[in-house]
Amino acid sequence: MHGAGKGSGMYIYMKLVYLCVCVCIFYIYLYILCRYLLEQRWFEQWSEYVKSGDQNSSLFPGPIDNSELFDELESCHLKDCLVENEDFTLIPAEAWHKLLSWYGQVGDQPALERKVVDLPSTLKVEVYPVEVFLCLHSNMDNAVTVQFSRVDTIQTIQKRMRAEFEVPDNAETRLWMKSSDTSCERLRNVHASVLDSCLSSGMTVIMEMRNADGTWPIQILMNLKNAWFRFCLYCLRFSILTCAFRRNSMEEQESYRGQPGVCGLTNLGNTCFMNSALQCLSNTPPLTEYFLQNAYLEELNFSNPLGMKGEIAEAYADVIKQMWSGRHFSVVPRVFKTKVGHFASQFLGYQQHDSQELLSFLLDGLHEDLNRVKNKEYIELRDAEGRPDQEVAEEAWRNHRRRNDSVIVDTFHGLFKSTLVCPECRKVSVTFDPFCYLSVPLPVSKERVMEVFFVSLDPVAKPIQHRLVVPKAGRVFDLCVALSLATGVSADQMMVADVFNHRFYKIYHTDEFLSSILDRDDIFVYELSCVSVEEDGEEVVLAVYMREHGHYRDYGPSSTSSYGTSLFGHPLLMSVRREQCTRDGLYDLFLQRSSQPAQSYVAIDWDPDMKKKYYNENEAEKYVKDHSMEVVYQQTTVQLQECIELFTTVETLEEENPWYCPVCKKHQLATKKLDLWSLPEVLIIHLKRFSYTKYSREKLDTIVDFPLRCTGVNGEPPSRYDLIAVSNHYGGLRDGHYTSYARNKDNGQWYYFDDSKVTDAKEEQIVTNAAYLLFYHRQDKIRHPTLPNPTNSCLTSGQPADDVISSNHEGLAGAASCVSMETD
């Protein structure tokens, strides 16, 4: 190597100039070139040697020696707190390779290559890389130490760990960052850098592999840790025998092997709405296969400001993989529920919600978490301006896909055709808008059946129950008019009240809307002795309650000696003259109003012994049924086609939502018509059973006769659809229960999902008045079942379709833009 220094002084000078040029290049290409550490004393001696110009000088530095920089030569670990230009100098890569070729290096010292990292507001050469421990979750004692640059991605660490621990290529893995004995944080974004992931030296990166049943080992340990205390209390409360039964049940669960997808979901507390929506989506083949095949891993979008950093998609994937592992009777979706509540505060806690609202949030969340478009460009929308519908539709779809491109768009999105017509200048505006599901209205009856109890002035007459037909948008006076026709009592002599818990919950004014009265309310209509009661008139209306004295003394903070009372029986409502509002006068009226033949003694406050002796509760609760109660009202049945026709009916915009006409240059109450232009692979139809208008609020229990198979007649070839899932709602506005029917994609069998309980179902059971969400899958996209149908209940592909649905097929081809359904 000494010969490398031979030659003239000019030769040495040229080498020095060459190195100076390399240093200049270092600053110019700081972003793209790496740096090498060189021990400072060696570099200074070499510099003096070069400056001397004497190739035979005793200053000859010899081979490159960085030993002073190492804490241990064996581990090649750098000393702490090394200072640039005191302990080492940084040289460009090209200069390093030249020096190495001229002088060589001592022993087996490694080259100290370092990268330039872009730190906040500065660029810096990374002298100390991040040194972390790598291990598998299944063998955390076997950890290896590896250094990574802060600009390396988590995916680089993942690849290194797969190679280091020989993890199979088909194994699904995820990484955790462990900073202490108890703290673990998930490394979700594999495309993030080590710096952005806050990974620092001394931390441990754990690789976890998904279990065969779809669960993750770490999550199981966390759940067990949180449940340990409850489990101990369980053992103490129910004895060792119960614990043994629990152990056996767990062993049965672990050894369970069943049909993938036929898996219940545990109700966490009013979460049946979530379970119903999840079961329907779980049995949507293209979406489920997308997650089971891990296609989502390459499309997770961690930078979308409209998304949830991939967390909703990953939580949903965990639920689906557990449900389709075939190793669970039921799955507890607690983590998924927590994630949903975290990103959508309306779902926090354990209140009852709407399965359609959850579905809408979930589809939107999955779309944004999996959106392939990283940077959404601004697109100015154009009006049709007389162009052909086909051209405008294709342009609208292209624009939509430029900002929204995901498996959700691929599977669930279609196009509406929206037509607005100005009532003044007749300007026609045509636009095409994407949709994810159809929310179709149900034909609403203009009448309503109500049941009330009529209480006459006759003191010996029992209340009479009537069934009345009244206008749905009517008022309380309309109810009194209908009852007047049945009883012969003037409607002006009636007062309507809601009785609850032996008292008047509310007394209604005659001008109040009937929508404020629910079907489950106990409505009593009282006959008054006068035609009307004025606030300052001669008669007043009194509410009379029956009260019973308690046997205990009330020692309240006021230190009074009053006794407690409780209400019983039906309250009374009567009108009395003001001059009778004395103690004796009211006593005589109440005695007359509440008297019964022969078994009675009446008082406002009842002594318990006197009540037991003289008050007959059974007799007091009796009532008479009017003949109207025997009339059976047939439940209305409508065809799904009627709902779709109602959805596509021309309507006039409301005053609070006008349209700006570009010709008239002002807002107009234009007419609007929606048509279906193109349908997606999976069509979701939302039956709007919850009706909210300014006149009424109600749950519509109308039976919608929907087909199990549909055929589109306008497309070429026809677009045939099969029903694959239904979300059901039982109950009313304030409460209820959600279940679902779904067809398994592997064996073609229908199942009924009721939270954690799953039973076989038949096609004839599916159409009910509880159907709320309908899922249809286009037949040309359906993969034929891989397993035989246990009940042979499904039609084969050669059998005729039940109904016909007309709409344009894929590719936005065709000119028709309406939907019709017919029975073959």
Side-chain angles (χ1 to χ4, degrees), residues 4 40 78 128 170 238 366 443 485 498 502 556 590 704-705 712 728:
Q40 184 68 22
L78 287 183
Y128 292 97
N170 60 350
F238 297 104
L366 290 175
L485 296 176
D498 180 2
H502 312 294
F590 297 155
V704 178
D705 188 8
N728 304 306

Side-chain angles (χ1 to χ4, degrees), residues 585-785:
L586 291 176
Y587 184 87
D588 293 338
L589 285 173
F590 297 155
L591 182 64
Q592 178 188 6
R593 186 68 186 84
S594 304
S595 64
Q596 297 178 3
Q599 315 113 297
S600 61
Y601 178 88
V602 178
I604 297 301
D605 287 338
W606 290 72
D607 179 81
D609 295 332
M610 298 295 288
K611 177 191 172 187
K612 184 177 180 181
K613 183 176 181 180
Y614 293 105
Y615 186 80
N616 189 328
E617 293 189 12
N618 293 332
E619 189 66 24
E621 295 293 332
K622 287 183 179 179
Y623 62 90
V624 178
K625 286 191 176 184
D626 183 71
H627 65 87
S628 61
M629 296 298 297
E630 300 176 359
V631 179
V632 179
Y633 291 89
Q634 295 289 338
Q635 192 173 28
T636 306
T637 300
V638 300
Q639 301 296 319
L640 180 59
Q641 172 62 24
E642 298 178 55
C643 302
I644 296 179
E645 288 176 353
L646 193 61
F647 174 77
T648 58
T649 300
V650 177
E651 62 178 1
T652 302
L653 297 179
E654 297 179 351
E655 293 185 359
E656 57 269 20
N657 187 31
W659 170 68
Y660 183 81
C661 177
V663 177
C664 300
K665 304 296 182 182
K666 62 180 180 180
H667 288 90
Q668 299 280 18
L669 299 182
T671 60
K672 180 179 180 180
K673 188 178 189 303
L674 285 177
D675 293 306
L676 295 177
W677 180 261
S678 67
L679 296 181
E681 177 181 349
V682 176
L683 175 63
I684 303 176
I685 300 179
H686 167 219
L687 303 177
K688 298 174 69 175
R689 292 197 176 275
F690 299 100
S691 175
Y692 301 96
T693 68
K694 59 183 179 181
Y695 301 109
S696 64
R697 296 174 66 253
E698 60 180 330
K699 159 75 183 300
L700 304 177
D701 288 324
T702 305
I703 296 179
V704 178
D705 188 8
F706 51 89
L708 271 64
R709 292 160 208 73
C710 317
T711 303
V713 296
N714 290 343
E716 290 295 339
S719 52
R720 295 181 173 86
Y721 281 83
D722 280 359
L723 184 75
I724 57 172
V726 179
S727 175
N728 304 306
H729 178 268
Y730 301 91
L733 280 175
R734 298 179 181 175
D735 53 18
H737 183 60
Y738 287 91
T739 66
S740 56
Y741 288 104
R743 182 176 181 265
N744 186 275
K745 68 182 181 66
D746 291 337
N747 64 10
Q749 166 68 21
W750 281 93
Y751 295 93
Y752 182 64
F753 298 90
D754 185 357
D755 288 332
S756 58
K757 183 179 180 182
V758 183
T759 56
D760 292 345
K762 297 181 180 179
E763 287 188 345
E764 52 267 26
Q765 298 175 283
I766 297 173
V767 180
T768 69
N769 65 344
Y772 185 46
L773 297 172
L774 311 177
F775 286 66
Y776 285 95
H777 191 191
R778 205 167 63 214
Q779 286 185 4
D780 62 319
K781 297 291 186 179
I782 293 179
R783 177 173 58 83
H784 294 293

Side-chain angles (χ1 to χ4, degrees), residues 464-482:
I464 304 176
Q465 187 181 26
H466 291 265
R467 182 174 287 165
L468 307 172
V469 179
V470 296
K472 182 170 290 186
R475 301 176 186 266
V476 172
F477 185 74
D478 296 314
L479 172 64
C480 296
V481 171

Side-chain angles (χ1 to χ4, degrees), residues 249-269:
S249 299
M250 294 176 64
E251 290 174 355
E252 290 177 3
Q253 175 85 352
E254 293 174 358
S255 62
Y256 174 75
R257 296 293 183 273
Q259 173 63 43
V262 183
C263 176
L265 291 169
T266 301
N267 192 321
L268 305 174

Side-chain angles (χ1 to χ4, degrees), residues 314-333:
E314 290 185 320
Y316 178 78
D318 287 346
V319 174
I320 292 300
K321 291 187 177 185
Q322 292 178 50
M323 294 174 66
W324 286 85
S325 68
R327 302 194 180 198
H328 298 283
F329 293 110
S330 65
V331 168
V332 182

Side-chain angles (χ1 to χ4, degrees), residues 290-309:
Y290 170 85
F291 280 96
L292 293 181
Q293 295 169 4
N294 292 331
Y296 73 100
L297 293 175
E298 295 299 322
E299 297 185 344
L300 287 170
N301 190 332
F302 298 99
S303 60
N304 187 353
L306 300 178
M308 290 83 174
K309 310 301 181 186

